[in-house]
């Protein structure tokens, strides 16, 4: 007994005196674990501290960097005082092309401890200069190499006589590629090299292929398909946007144990064939795969390529080559059928239960020449038939011709589809969806039929962003909405943020992306995804500052400059700054941000921007039979003026972060003129806006267009307007992201909840009620009687209205960052209970570690569980009447030295805390 007591006491002492070890974990370089192929001259390092303990702050750090192979130290930061633990830049001599480095870090904390050195993490540089590419671009001279032609095969064999210690391949194509060494696939990325504004920025990928090479004979095979490079994109058969022919650029660097090196490059010695199995592939139309044309062993040594053609070397520029910064597109979830059935029309359909993006995989055994056709659709029509009208001109069809005899596993390569249902033709036997464990079921020849059973499942493809956030609450409909938002993100973050994944569009629409960007940053790690895409925004911005409607811009140089779309150039950089606290995004985008603001200023007269084409509040509410004028039309130039001000404000914010004082001054002055012009043109003396719509009031309030004195009445007008529409929103793409934020800010939480919980059209929950599994483009994509909105504009996977996710995380659950502590260095936790919810919770992996806030109402108490990551501080807002009514871990606040009561704001008592886990309880405010 005595002994136990002793242990208990020492145990408590250890916890209280913080004897636990300080360690460093989760090392990331440029936000990735051990990245291969970086062309950032000064890479930045991030790490996290452990343990998750109260008030843990880093007081100093030391970074050590060495060559990966000889372990020689090349830089040591020395002991640096400070709490920086994210995006800490390298400060040594110039890093070398293609070289690998290791790094490790140790830290000191405010409790007097020093950690040991962390585990070693690694990174490898890309090819930093165009001259580092020894390889030549190579092409085929085949006449079949045209946009509707086959994929090409390129191959080369070579000998590696010595013991290999490392090998790296650098590769890119005009078109898309899949590459192999000795019959094994290189990497697990798909749709590579991804989509960028190719002529200005073409990504290459870098892979460590040490494990794929053998001592002796080796072979590389690369298959290229048309991809975004030359497939028709947008409308009017707009093909060959970047070029007519596919080409390959590849460099393989091998290091041997004796210190020597060998470089294998694409050059005139390669062979090519246009006779491979992919006969046709297009983004919108799908792929035709003829397995009879597979060339066994084509990507391995010993293959006879005598009949293959020679390649030609091409002198294409290499100064547009860039390393890949974002995560590759990878395979993710596999879906089995929830239902396999025949429609009233007699068609064979598989329902995967989820609207998703990717393709099918088929396991089948049949006769040579048997043809299977797979069509894709998002929905069934009223009668229960397969519905593809909303795909417009996109065929979205894969055709497979069987080799025959053996079991075959088939999937396309250079296309993707947005679908929940597939229609299968040409499989006469039974179809099952759950693949057999070993993928080789015995399903042959019963009753003399070539295949009795074929297996078909769906595989998702999307950029491999880290899942970082989750929102859940006591209302299952809202949880389904959250699910739909996340699936909208998965389906449309396919190397670029697309509007939709299914019809003949799938483009990087800028308005959609800006509207959804903050929500996206909660659900997944989108720092690298958007950093990469924003550079294309800047690259495709015209000289005069005009920002395109879609990026990469495939619509032509004049297709840009619309309010709310072009503001992508200021809104996303700022949102990324808030979410990740990385000043480099602002630095990199600053010229583009400024260019856009200058464009608006240049097209204004007396600070009023009322020229040019605008999409306006796209897809706002418009009843069909609008006899008494219920359509919520907002004046487009009023909207334009609001975004002009907003972008100017964000530019000022960025200038402050980057310490550009001159610009702060200049643009602050511009902003005041822009707002004055707004008041003069669009607001009556009593505060009424020329457009009496929800969107008009929302934008005017969200962007602080009105003087203080006119704000409360404007918010009231907004609330009345919502009542007038029987508690419905009427907003389109531009008003929707902000409506609930504005209501909450001006004290109308309950109206915001009413909108969110509304389940009749137009509302967020109406599609949920109709069985949606993603966010729809239209509030009424499918009508209550199951008929559809117009097929020309009716996507069932369009993330823009999913922008409400931001309010759910930030306001319902209350997870936020202070602007002056961006990236959750200074956290704000301010839950807004309401809407009849019994609990709500949000979790977020921040740069510093896991942050969470879970609230619950139980027994007339408001209970809040919070986890604040190490090396951050937080303001916690508890709905309570007084500090005395709050306890933490059942103890009154004054007994908790680590919790400081800093004041009262409205109905909240505000507390300041450091890292740690907290359990608050307060009497529920009546
Ligand atoms: C796209 C949108 C886009 C809009 C702009 C549509 O076709 O799908 O989401 O923002 O055009 O006009």
């Amino acid at each position: 007994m005595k002994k136990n007591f002793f242990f208990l006491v020492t145990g408590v002492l250890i916890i209280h005196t913080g004897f636990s070890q300080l360690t460093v974990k989760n090392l990331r370089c440029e936000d990735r674990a051990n990245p291969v192929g970086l062309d950032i001259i000064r890479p930045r390092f991030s790490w996290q501290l452990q343990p998750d303990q109260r008030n843990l702050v880093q007081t100093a750090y030391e970074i050590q960097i060495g060559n990966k192979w000889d372990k020689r130290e090349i830089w040591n930061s020395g002991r640096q005082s400070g709490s920086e633990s994210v995006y800490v830049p390298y400060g040594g001599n110039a890093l070398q092309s293609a070289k690998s480095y290791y790094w490790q870090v140790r830290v000191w904390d405010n409790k007097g401890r020093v950690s040991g050195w962390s585990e070693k993490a690694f990174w490898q540089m890309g090819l930093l200069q165009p001259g580092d590419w020894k390889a030549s671009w190579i092409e085929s001279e085949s006449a079949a190499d045209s946009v509707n032609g086959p994929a090409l095969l390129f191959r080369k064999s070579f000998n590696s006589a010595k013991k290999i210690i490392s090998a790296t391949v650098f590769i890119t194509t005009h078109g898309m590629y899949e590459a192999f060494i000795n019959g094994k696939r290189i990497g697990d990325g798909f749709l590579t090299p991804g989509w960028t504004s190719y002529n200005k920025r073409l990504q290459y990928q870098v892979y460590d292929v040490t494990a794929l090479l053998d001592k002796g004979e080796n072979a590389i095979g690369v298959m290229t398909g048309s991809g975004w490079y030359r497939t028709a994109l947008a409308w009017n058969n707009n093909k060959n946007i970047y070029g007519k022919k596919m080409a390959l650029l590849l460099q393989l660097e091998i290091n041997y144990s004796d210190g020597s090196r060998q470089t294998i490059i694409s050059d005139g010695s390669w062979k090519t064939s246009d006779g491979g199995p992919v006969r046709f592939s297009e983004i919108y139309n799908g792929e035709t795969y003829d397995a009879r044309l597979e060339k066994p062993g084509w990507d391995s040594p010993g293959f006879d390529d005598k009949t293959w053609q020679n390649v030609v070397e091409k002198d294409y520029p290499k100064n547009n080559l860039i390393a890949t910064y974002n995560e590759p597109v990878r395979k993710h979830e596999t879906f089995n059928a929830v239902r396999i059935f025949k429609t009233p029309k007699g068609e064979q359909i598989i329902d995967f239960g989820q609207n998703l993006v990717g393709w099918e995989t088929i396991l089948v055994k049949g006769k040579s020449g048997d043809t299977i056709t797979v069509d894709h659709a998002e929905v069934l029509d009223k009668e229960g038939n397969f519905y593809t009208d909303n795909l417009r001109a996109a065929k979205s069809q894969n055709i497979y011709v069987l080799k025959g005899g053996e079991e075959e596993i088939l999937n396309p390569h250079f296309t993707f589809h947005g679908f929940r249902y597939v229609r299968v033709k040409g499989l006469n036997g039974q179809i099952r969806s759950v693949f057999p464990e070993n993928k080789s079921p015995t399903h042959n020849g019963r009753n003399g039929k070539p295949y009795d059973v074929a297996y078909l499942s769906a595989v998702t493809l999307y950029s491999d962003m880290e899942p970082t956030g989750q929102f859940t609450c006591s209302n299952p409909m809202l949880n389904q909405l959250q699910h739909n938002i996340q699936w909208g993100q998965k389906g449309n973050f396919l190397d670029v943020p697309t509007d939709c994944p299914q019809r003949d569009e799938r483009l990087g629409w800028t308005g959609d992306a800006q509207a959804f960007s903050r929500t996206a940053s909660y659900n997944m790690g989108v720092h690298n995804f958007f950093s990469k895409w924003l550079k294309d925004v800047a690259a495709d911005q015209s000289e005069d500052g005009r920002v395109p409607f879609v990026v990469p811009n495939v619509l032509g140089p004049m297709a840009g400059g619309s309010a709310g779309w072009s503001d992508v150039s200021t809104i996303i950089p700022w949102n990324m700054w808030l979410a990740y606290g990385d000043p480099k995004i602002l630095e990199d985008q600053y010229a583009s941000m400024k260019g856009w603001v200058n464009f608006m200023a240049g097209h204004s007269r007396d600070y009023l921007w009322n020229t040019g084409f605008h999409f306006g509040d796209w897809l706002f509410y418009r009843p069909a039979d609008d006899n008494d004028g219920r359509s919520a039309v907002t004046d487009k130039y009023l909207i334009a003026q609001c975004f002009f001000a907003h972008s100017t404000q964000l530019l000022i914010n960025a200038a402050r972060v980057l310490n550009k004082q001159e610009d702060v001054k200049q643009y602050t002055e511009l902003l005041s003129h822009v707002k004055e012009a707004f008041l003069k043109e669009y607001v009556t003396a009593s505060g009424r806006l020329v457009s009496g719509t929800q969107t008009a009031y929302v934008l005017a309030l969200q962007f602080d267009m009105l003087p203080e004195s006119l704000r409360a009445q404007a918010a009231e007008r907004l609330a009345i307007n919502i009542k007038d529409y029987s508690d419905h929103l009427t907003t389109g793409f531009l008003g929707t992201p902000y409506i609930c934020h504005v209501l909450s800010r001006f004290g109308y939480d309950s109206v915001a909840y009413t909108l969110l919980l509304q389940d009749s059209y137009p509302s967020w929950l109406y599609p949920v009620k109709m069985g949606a599994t993603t966010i729809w483009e239209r509030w009424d994509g499918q009508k209550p009687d199951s008929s559809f909105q117009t097929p020309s504009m009716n996507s069932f996977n369009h993330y823009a209205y999913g922008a409400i996710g931001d309010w759910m995380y930030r306001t319902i659950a209350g997870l936020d960052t202070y602007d002056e502590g961006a990236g959750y260095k200074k956290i704000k936790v301010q839950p807004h209970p309401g809407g009849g919810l019994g609990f709500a919770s949000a979790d977020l992996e921040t740069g510093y570690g896991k942050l969470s806030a879970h609230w619950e109402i139980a027994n007339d108490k408001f209970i809040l569980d919070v986890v604040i990551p190490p090396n951050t501080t937080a303001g916690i807002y508890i709905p309570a009447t007084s500090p005395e009514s709050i306890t933490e871990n059942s103890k009154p606040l004054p007994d908790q030295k680590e919790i400081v009561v800093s004041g009262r704001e409205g109905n909240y008592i505000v507390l300041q805390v450091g890292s740690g886990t907290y359990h608050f309880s307060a009497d529920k405010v009546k």
Side-chain angles (χ1 to χ4, degrees), residues 471-475 478 749 753 756 807-815 829-843 852-858 861-867 876-879 908 918-922 924:
F471 170 89
T472 41
C473 69
S474 57
N475 183 324
L478 290 185
D749 266 347
Y753 268 112
L756 180 65
W807 188 76
M808 289 157 61
Y809 277 103
R810 201 139 61 97
T811 308
I812 299 184
L815 278 197
V829 177
Q830 184 172 20
H832 287 238
L837 299 181
F839 73 87
S841 79
D843 302 284
S852 55
H854 298 200
W855 62 256
E856 185 186 344
I857 295 180
K861 294 270 179 203
F862 176 81
I863 296 171
L864 177 64
D865 286 290
V866 186
V867 179
I876 309 229
Y877 294 63
I878 305 207
Y908 293 91
Y918 300 87
H919 175 75
F920 296 103
S921 173
K924 190 172 161 246

Side-chain angles (χ1 to χ4, degrees), residues 428-730:
N428 304 317
Q430 200 193 334
I431 303 180
R432 288 193 195 146
S433 183
V434 183
F435 265 52
E437 285 272 293
N438 59 2
K439 290 209 165 60
S440 61
T442 45
H443 54 266
N444 53 333
R446 257 194 298 132
N447 304 329
K449 280 193 221 133
Y451 41 82
D452 271 323
V453 181
Y455 296 84
L456 199 153
S457 59
V459 183
T460 60
L461 291 171
Y462 49 87
S463 288
D464 194 17
M465 305 157 293
E466 183 194 352
T468 49
Q470 196 50 271
F471 170 89
T472 41
C473 69
S474 57
N475 183 324
M477 297 273 280
L478 290 185
N479 293 340
Q480 181 67 38
L481 175 64
Q482 165 70 6
H483 169 100
N484 296 359
I485 294 170
Q486 289 184 323
W487 275 92
Q489 181 163 355
K490 288 177 179 184
N492 284 298
F493 278 50
L494 196 79
D495 209 55
V496 303
T498 57
D499 58 332
C500 59
Q502 72 298 80
R503 68 182 179 217
D504 53 346
E505 200 145 355
R506 313 186 195 185
L507 303 174
W509 279 97
T510 47
D512 309 43
Q514 67 80 4
F516 187 64
S517 56
R518 188 84 195 264
T519 301
S521 73
Y522 276 99
N523 290 325
M524 296 184 192
V526 293
H527 173 275
N528 291 17
F529 179 87
F530 276 127
S531 299
K532 168 246 183 191
W533 185 68
L534 284 170
K535 292 203 173 143
D536 289 296
V537 169
D540 277 350
Q541 189 170 5
S542 312
E543 288 267 291
D544 64 355
R546 184 191 303 271
V547 176
F549 301 148
V550 301
V551 173
N553 185 7
V554 295
L555 302 180
M558 292 313 286
S562 168
W565 270 251
S566 299
D567 301 280
V568 74
S569 55
T570 56
I571 294 173
I572 299 191
W574 185 251
N575 280 344
M576 293 306 106
W577 161 252
L578 292 177
Y580 301 104
D582 172 12
K584 185 158 183 291
I585 295 195
L586 295 179
E587 248 162 63
D588 288 353
Q589 297 307 126
Y590 191 76
S592 157
M593 297 172 83
K594 195 164 164 175
W596 171 238
V597 171
N598 289 345
F599 175 91
M600 291 184 281
H603 286 76
S604 308
R605 202 187 306 154
D606 296 332
Y607 304 101
L608 198 62
W609 183 34
N610 57 3
T611 54
F613 167 80
H614 297 278
F615 292 111
D617 189 26
W618 190 250
L619 298 183
F620 57 86
Y621 174 69
R622 280 171 283 178
D625 203 3
D626 192 21
N627 296 329
D628 62 347
R630 302 289 285 163
S631 293
V633 186
T634 310
D635 185 288
K636 288 189 181 183
Y637 294 130
L638 177 151
I639 294 175
Q641 194 71 4
C642 289
F643 277 93
F644 183 11
H646 183 45
S647 274
T648 308
Q649 179 67 64
L650 297 181
L651 179 66
I652 295 165
N653 295 354
R656 276 208 190 98
V657 172
L658 301 174
N659 201 14
K660 295 178 185 291
Q661 294 312 331
E662 265 306 296
D663 282 2
V664 172
K665 207 168 137 237
Q666 182 189 335
Y667 288 96
T668 303
E669 208 176 303
L670 171 66
L671 181 59
S672 72
H673 292 307
V674 172
K675 289 187 181 176
E676 272 162 33
F678 178 82
L679 286 178
K680 203 162 129 202
E681 186 76 6
Y682 300 113
V683 189
T684 66
S686 60
R688 183 189 290 269
L689 300 183
V690 297
S691 299
T693 58
Q694 294 172 19
T695 290
Y697 286 101
V698 165
L699 297 181
L701 287 167
Q702 174 74 16
F703 301 151
D704 295 337
M705 303 302 290
L706 303 173
E708 275 297 344
S709 58
L710 291 181
R711 291 180 188 174
Q713 64 82 33
E716 196 183 343
R717 286 178 204 265
L718 170 63
I720 291 170
N721 182 303
I722 292 167
K723 266 266 153 287
D724 279 353
Y725 284 89
S726 313
D727 296 329
H728 288 90
L729 46 69
T730 62

Side-chain angles (χ1 to χ4, degrees), residues 137 171-178 190-196 198 201-205 207 225-229 247 322-324 326 328-329 414 495 532:
W137 279 104
I171 176 172
T172 189
T173 45
H174 291 163
M176 282 177 189
Y177 73 86
E178 290 193 3
F190 287 86
L191 313 182
T192 44
W195 192 12
T196 44
Y198 292 133
R201 294 167 25 85
L202 173 59
Q203 300 181 121
Y204 60 88
Q205 280 81 43
Y207 305 96
S226 298
W228 290 289
Y229 188 79
I322 50 165
T324 304
N326 62 330
V329 170
F414 304 119
D495 209 55
K532 168 246 183 191

Side-chain angles (χ1 to χ4, degrees), residues 16-59:
H16 275 275
T17 51
F19 256 84
S20 46
Q21 286 229 328
L22 176 66
T23 53
V24 188
K25 60 166 187 173
N26 204 2
L27 272 63
R28 283 152 296 137
C29 174
E30 289 298 326
D31 249 359
R32 287 188 282 164
N34 303 324
V36 178
L38 279 187
D39 59 7
I40 308 285
I41 303 301
R42 295 204 171 281
R44 286 96 40 80
F45 307 106
S46 307
W47 58 87
Q48 293 172 0
L49 270 56
Q50 250 180 341
D52 299 335
Q53 190 178 35
R54 285 218 175 158
N55 269 334
L56 177 62
V57 179
Q58 172 189 299
T59 52

